[in-house]
Amino acid sequence: MALLFYSEVDDGEAWRRELMRRLPGLEVRLWPDLGDPKGIEAALVWRPPRGLLASLPALKAVFSLGAGVDDLLADPTLPDVPLCRMVDPSLVATMGDFLLAVALYYHREFDRYAELQRACRWQTRLPRPLAETRVGVMGLGEIGAPVAERLRDAGFTVRGWSRTRRSLAGVACFAGATERDAFLAEVDVLVCLLPLTPETRGVLDAELFARLPAGAALVHVGRGGHLVEEDLLDALDRGHLRGAWLDTVPFEPLDADHPFWRHPRIRITPHVAGYGLPETGAAFVADNLQRLRDGRPLRGLVDRARGY
Ligand code: NDP
Ligand code: OXD
């Protein structure tokens, strides 16, 4: 079986090595060395060019290198074969590290110290117990749920929101549109870890920000399409939101002249919050390839109608 690998940000050679170590008979072709497209039965991809997958006549499954599959689903030429998201402990671990660090950044008021530094003011702000900072996690999925638990274990007060009801010990769980405002009402640091779907596009808007307590911060690690840019800038400039940490933005990479770069209350990281590693993710992909060969059900299968 041959698998096509496409990504401009992942290490193709490392993925090839890790996959072939697990499935010695597998041929991994790194784009653009496609060889004969008729021999390619599976593809492992991150943001491939539109039409690439449709040009593979023998394709039996598409595996995403990322957890989010919105970019793949937005391709009108995406072949009608099973599509699987990435499931990788490194994604969960790195996202947990990132969100813990950013939640602590706001909890220990490093944003305010940065302002004080700009004003050359030496002013102490007394630390408060971690439990006084309430972190709200939107999306309690494969990554969101363990990350909420990690924040809880660190000592934050954590609540979570999902489409259907979830139950996590020590995390107040809310579900659906009817419970969204109750969820938002007691959140100091709002984490968006939702998939981008027709239902969640534009979810981070003025109406949602207004439901947060004054002085809350946004940590956005979902997708740029969740965010209504003007509404965020307005909420920050009016002081309703204290700050925003954006790991994803509506157009990646962010234009050099975009106002987000220079806004004093916005911090930007270039879509690095969580990342999968070939050393760990290859086990999942190899298992799925074996399942594909054996005709067994695939793991991490995306429900196309739901969008995630
Ligand atoms: P999953 O697909 O496993 O889970 C999605 C969660 O969101 C579920 O809890 C789901 O609810 C909930 N959800 C979906 N739609 C709605 C809705 N309309 N209202 C309320 N809740 C909803 O996702 P992951 O945890 O694996 O990842 C989430 C997203 O994080 C990815 O899709 C990607 O966009 C982003 N991501 C970003 C990274 C980065 O580096 N910045 C890295 C990895 C992921 P339910 O439980 O009921 O199904
Ligand atoms: C993502 C990922 O979906 O990096 O953003 O996995």
Side-chain angles (χ1 to χ4, degrees):
M1 177 190 279
L3 170 133
L4 174 67
F5 180 94
Y6 179 94
S7 169
E8 290 183 21
V9 294
D10 297 276
D11 181 347
E13 287 296 351
W15 274 96
R16 170 149 62 189
R17 189 181 58 244
E18 293 298 329
L19 285 169
M20 289 178 63
R21 198 159 65 78
R22 290 168 172 86
L23 291 177
L26 180 71
E27 186 193 344
V28 179
R29 301 186 192 167
L30 305 186
W31 190 88
D33 294 329
L34 250 69
D36 179 2
K38 290 200 284 296
I40 297 174
E41 290 179 68
L44 176 60
V45 292
W46 174 250
R47 297 187 171 167
R50 296 281 185 267
L52 173 64
L53 297 170
S55 73
L56 308 173
L59 196 67
K60 293 201 174 77
V62 176
F63 302 113
S64 168
L65 278 157
V69 292
D70 46 290
D71 175 74
L72 286 164
L73 291 177
D75 180 353
T77 69
L78 180 70
D80 187 15
V81 296
L83 167 65
C84 299
R85 47 89 40 96
M86 178 58 67
V87 176
D88 176 359
S90 298
L91 258 178
V92 176
T94 51
M95 182 63 82
D97 298 343
F98 184 93
L99 290 175
L100 195 53
V102 178
L104 284 168
Y105 170 90
Y106 287 113
H107 173 75
R108 290 303 307 264
E109 306 191 76
F110 291 149
D111 55 338
R112 300 206 163 111
Y113 285 118
E115 273 175 29
L116 288 167
Q117 181 173 350
R118 280 194 289 275
C120 304
R121 285 178 59 200
W122 183 273
Q123 185 185 301
T124 306
R125 302 180 65 89
L126 289 181
R128 295 159 299 114
L130 267 185
E132 283 188 19
T133 293
R134 301 163 300 179
V135 182
V137 181
M138 299 175 81
L140 296 175
E142 197 71 46
I143 303 175
V147 161
E149 290 172 329
R150 184 153 168 210
L151 290 162
R152 172 206 65 197
D153 291 347
F156 289 103
T157 296
V158 182
R159 46 179 47 205
W161 183 66
S162 51
R163 197 175 53 84
T164 57
R165 189 162 306 285
R166 303 275 145 182
S167 165
L168 302 176
V171 175
C173 290
F174 297 77
T178 52
E179 294 181 15
R180 191 204 65 163
D181 292 353
F183 159 74
L184 294 170
E186 293 181 34
V187 167
D188 303 309
V189 176
L190 180 68
V191 172
C192 178
L193 240 175
L194 290 168
L196 183 62
T197 69
E199 254 185 67
T200 64
R201 182 171 289 281
V203 68
L204 300 175
D205 66 357
E207 204 268 320
L208 178 142
F209 297 141
R211 304 289 167 183
L212 289 167
L218 170 69
V219 184
H220 186 32
V221 290
R223 283 291 185 268
H226 289 130
L227 185 64
V228 180
E229 297 185 39
E230 323 71 84
D231 291 3
L232 174 65
L233 290 171
D234 181 60
L236 288 168
D237 293 341
R238 284 188 299 104
H240 180 64
L241 287 188
R242 152 190 180 177
W245 193 302
L246 307 179
D247 186 59
T248 54
V249 291
F251 293 97
E252 298 180 12
L254 190 63
D255 276 349
D257 58 359
H258 196 286
F260 282 174
W261 282 118
R262 279 167 282 277
H263 197 288
R265 294 192 175 168
I266 293 181
R267 299 296 313 264
I268 297 198
T269 42
H271 200 143
V272 291
Y275 48 88
L277 292 176
E279 292 76 9
T280 48
F284 173 74
V285 178
D287 177 56
N288 255 350
L289 285 167
Q290 192 58 56
R291 287 164 176 264
L292 187 66
R293 275 180 181 164
D294 301 346
R296 286 181 290 133
L298 300 179
R299 293 163 61 210
L301 205 56
V302 171
D303 176 339
R304 291 197 188 203
R306 211 176 53 168
Y308 68 100

